[in-house]
Amino acid sequence: MNGEDARATCMLAVERLTVAYGRTVAVQGIDLRVEVGQVVCLIGANGAGKTTLMRALSGLLRPEAGHIRLEGADITGQPPHRIAALGMRHVPEGRQIFAGLTVAENLALGAWLEDESAEIARRLEQVLALFPRLRERLAQMAGSMSGGEQQMLALGRALMGAPRLLLLDEPSMGLAPLFVEEIFGIIEELKREGRTILLVEQNASAALEVADYAYVLETGRIVLQGPAVQVAQDPAVLAAYLGG
Amino acid sequence: MLAQQLINGVLLGASYALFALGFTLMFGVLRVINLTYGFYFSAGAFAALFLTRDAGLGIWAALPLAAVTAGLIAVALDWLLLAPLRRKRAPELASLMVTLGGVLALYSAATAILGPDIRRLPPGLVDGTVFELAGLRVATPQLFILVASFVLVGALVWLLNFTRLGLAIRAMAENPDAAGLMGIDTGRTAALVSFVAGCLAGAGGVLIGLNFNAIHPYMGESMMLRGFVVVIVGGLGDIRGALIAGLALGVVEVLTAGYVDSGLKEAVAFAILVAVLWTRPSGLFGRPALRRA
Ligand SMILES: Nc1ncnc2c1ncn2[C@@H]1O[C@H](COP(=O)(O)OP(=O)(O)O)[C@@H](O)[C@H]1O
Ligand SMILES: [Mg+2]
């Protein structure tokens, strides 16, 4: 594959990325790629560095070393609003919705960078079609909804930004089983639409089922990678993450 | 007599509320107790003094210009003192100490340059007609203070609740990281919040300067003590709380001075502060967050 083709199909390229909190190095020289239209999942135990990696990708943390390229453009060390303007949307761990604002305001903030009101209205219809329960709650304070509904709002808010790359950090964390199923259903649906997604999950079996490609992270390093079906059959992964 | 005191109290309280609104807004969005805030009050009063006395402007022109001057000073100080700490995600205590050092340096520099004396606004700046209605006396300057306070408070409420910038400010008050992820330039929004807060403090300085006709470099400091009472009683970051607590403090001070002893009005204000903190640690109106007015 020559350089130009690589650029045309590569959404995200992470090269030797190192991220630290003071002297604690949480991500140690990671290489990772997400191709256009792919769902890539990243699994790993608690504290492995998944959230740290995601926060560095969206600009919330400044990397110590390495490079992050989004569709060929070097975004290393850029502030979050610039990276968002290039089409990355990060649904952070723990949802981070604007609890004291209404659901409608949260969704409007998702489309903050879009000026055209017709386009915003079109996106809102799409999001409400995907999450019908948000429609009845538009005027409600976001913080008064259940955890599962808040997660849908966090997803909907990100989709309001018409992302070219969607980062999802543990979207099923802490949710009731019914909501977990619903969230993974939504991810399937987004995948069918051809969206490009980097998914971090503790629920490894569900993540490996929906993903095309998978990385396994242990104490800040990638220890295994490959097509999701292969990773799902790896004996070490079966033992450590799939309870097998 | 009581009705007259209440009117005077509301007039005083309107300026307190105005002053405290900027302080509570700054805390609500930037999450830092910025002690340089009182200095913007002095800066606004002095700007109005120079604009009216030396440049010969009328009060309606001097008030907005003085407010904007104070706003620009606030932006510059925020950029100089606090923005570097925000970038490093420094602990709140560091910001508090930096602004404490900063404000002491500013007051002493201002006193060195301007002198410690009390200055007066040019006579006849606002015509002194006194209206009498059912035995109550309201002078034109007081009316001006009341109208200006309500217009400015109304403008802030409108800005926060009905504009695009207001939505960004409220989002940032809720969750700065998430606001950045939405594409909001949080550094720029922080600067705008500093500007708006500085304008409110500066306008407060002009109005209090007008009310008592006394302008001096340290006037912001005694105001800052009242600002603390108002925002803590109202709940840090709570706009509606600051409005109500500001008006109440003005009334309490005037009633104390009128019926007890004018030397005690500060003591009463702080007794109320302590009593509120004992019974309701996050203020009269609940949780500390920037809320709709
Ligand atoms: N704000 C922080 N300050 C210091 N260390 C942190 C901070 N956040 C996370 N860490 C540390 O970084 C490592 C990776 O954490 P994290 O990225 O949250 O892991 P994961 O998302 O995989 O559970 C952990 O050892 C954690 O203790
Ligand atoms: Mg995590």
Side-chain angles (χ1 to χ4, degrees):
Chain A
M1 203 190 282
N2 67 39
E4 204 131 296
D5 281 350
R7 187 159 308 164
T9 63
C10 181
M11 176 60 71
L12 179 74
V14 174
E15 294 157 22
R16 293 196 298 283
L17 191 73
T18 298
V19 191
Y21 300 97
R23 289 166 63 194
T24 320
V25 180
V27 166
Q28 315 195 20
I30 282 184
D31 288 286
L32 178 149
R33 283 169 73 88
V34 179
E35 308 295 329
V36 170
Q38 248 187 351
V39 174
V40 172
C41 82
L42 184 65
I43 57 178
N46 224 337
K50 307 179 297 295
T51 296
T52 304
L53 173 65
M54 297 293 246
R55 288 171 63 83
L57 294 180
S58 62
L60 291 172
L61 290 173
R62 225 171 205 291
E64 295 287 300
H67 285 281
I68 306 165
R69 274 179 243 281
L70 183 65
E71 298 190 279
D74 192 333
I75 57 166
T76 323
Q78 293 277 316
H81 68 271
R82 292 254 174 74
I83 295 174
L86 291 173
M88 188 192 291
R89 276 295 182 281
H90 176 184
V91 180
E93 183 178 271
R95 309 182 279 267
Q96 311 283 336
I97 53 155
F98 302 109
L101 307 188
T102 65
V103 170
E105 284 172 331
N106 270 270
L107 293 173
L109 281 158
W112 176 258
L113 292 167
E114 178 59 52
D115 294 323
E116 192 122 6
S117 55
E119 171 64 16
I120 295 173
R122 194 187 63 79
R123 289 183 197 170
L124 185 61
E125 273 317 305
Q126 264 184 352
V127 166
L128 294 178
L130 202 55
F131 303 104
R133 29 169 114 228
L134 292 183
R135 193 186 292 273
E136 312 138 34
R137 309 215 184 284
L138 282 173
Q140 195 173 321
M141 285 294 154
S144 68
M145 299 196 301
S146 74
E149 289 165 342
Q150 290 188 16
Q151 187 62 61
M152 304 203 167
L153 176 59
L155 269 166
R157 184 180 68 173
L159 293 173
M160 287 297 290
R164 300 184 56 74
L165 171 64
L166 194 55
L167 308 185
L168 305 178
D169 193 349
E170 308 232 22
S172 77
M173 186 170 69
L175 299 187
L178 216 62
F179 271 119
V180 173
E181 215 170 285
E182 199 167 337
I183 291 285
F184 276 100
I186 297 283
I187 297 172
E188 287 280 1
E189 171 76 34
L190 295 174
K191 179 181 178 170
R192 269 196 298 277
E193 289 174 11
R195 303 217 187 226
T196 312
I197 299 173
L198 176 58
L199 170 67
V200 160
E201 259 301 336
Q202 294 248 331
N203 188 339
S205 60
L208 288 168
E209 207 165 295
V210 67
D212 300 302
Y213 200 84
Y215 290 86
V216 180
L217 196 63
E218 256 170 40
T219 54
R221 291 202 166 83
I222 304 279
V223 293
L224 182 70
Q225 61 173 292
V229 279
Q230 280 174 27
V231 170
Q233 272 146 29
D234 184 276
V237 170
L238 279 169
Y241 304 106
L242 301 174
Chain B
M1 178 63 180
L2 178 64
Q4 181 71 51
Q5 302 276 27
L6 286 176
I7 288 185
N8 295 345
V10 166
L11 277 164
L12 187 61
S15 334
Y16 288 172
L18 188 63
F19 176 80
L21 277 183
F23 189 53
T24 215
L25 176 71
M26 223 174 208
F27 177 83
V29 180
L30 309 178
R31 295 280 145 194
V32 47
I33 295 183
N34 184 344
L35 295 174
T36 64
Y37 186 72
F39 182 76
Y40 317 147
F41 180 84
S42 303
F46 269 95
L49 175 71
F50 297 140
L51 287 166
T52 54
R53 193 190 60 188
D54 303 328
L57 293 182
I59 191 69
W60 282 113
L63 174 66
L65 282 176
V68 167
T69 306
L72 293 175
I73 292 174
V75 174
L77 286 175
D78 180 75
W79 177 78
L80 205 67
L81 298 177
L82 291 174
L85 293 175
R86 263 201 298 278
R87 275 196 294 277
K88 281 188 223 142
R89 293 172 187 260
E92 276 167 29
L93 187 62
S95 315
L96 185 68
M97 295 319 286
V98 162
T99 62
L100 176 61
V103 77
L104 292 175
L106 286 165
Y107 280 132
S108 69
T111 310
I113 295 166
L114 300 163
D117 337 325
I118 292 181
R119 320 292 185 88
R120 313 236 172 257
L121 290 162
L125 189 58
V126 181
D127 104 81
T129 320
V130 175
F131 297 95
E132 284 219 36
L133 196 77
L136 299 175
R137 296 161 52 85
V138 182
T140 323
Q142 295 186 309
L143 222 57
F144 174 81
I145 291 165
L146 196 65
V147 171
S149 306
F150 277 79
V151 166
L152 285 165
V153 169
L156 178 68
V157 170
W158 170 79
L159 173 80
L160 286 178
N161 292 316
F162 299 105
T163 69
R164 193 173 142 82
L165 173 62
L167 185 59
I169 290 174
R170 286 185 290 132
M172 209 175 135
E174 288 275 334
N175 190 328
D177 278 353
L181 293 178
M182 301 299 107
I184 293 169
D185 184 341
T186 50
R188 197 174 132 259
T189 309
L192 285 166
V193 166
S194 288
F195 177 73
V196 170
C199 287
L200 292 171
V206 179
L207 297 178
I208 290 284
L210 198 62
N211 199 351
F212 296 109
N213 199 11
I215 292 171
H216 58 98
Y218 276 96
M219 66 192 285
E221 199 161 63
S222 58
M223 194 63 180
M224 204 52 191
L225 296 175
R226 295 188 170 83
F228 266 114
V229 175
V230 171
V231 300
I232 290 171
V233 169
L236 268 168
D238 189 332
I239 298 285
R240 189 192 51 166
L243 268 177
I244 298 171
L247 287 172
L249 179 64
V251 170
V252 166
E253 278 197 5
V254 167
L255 291 182
T256 308
Y259 293 104
V260 190
D261 185 330
S262 82
L264 277 181
K265 58 184 192 205
E266 264 128 26
V268 169
F270 281 92
I272 291 176
L273 171 67
V274 171
V276 167
L277 284 181
W278 273 343
T279 50
R280 305 205 49 151
S282 57
L284 279 183
F285 305 98
R287 94 194 153 98
L290 189 73
R291 291 206 298 196
R292 284 166 163 261

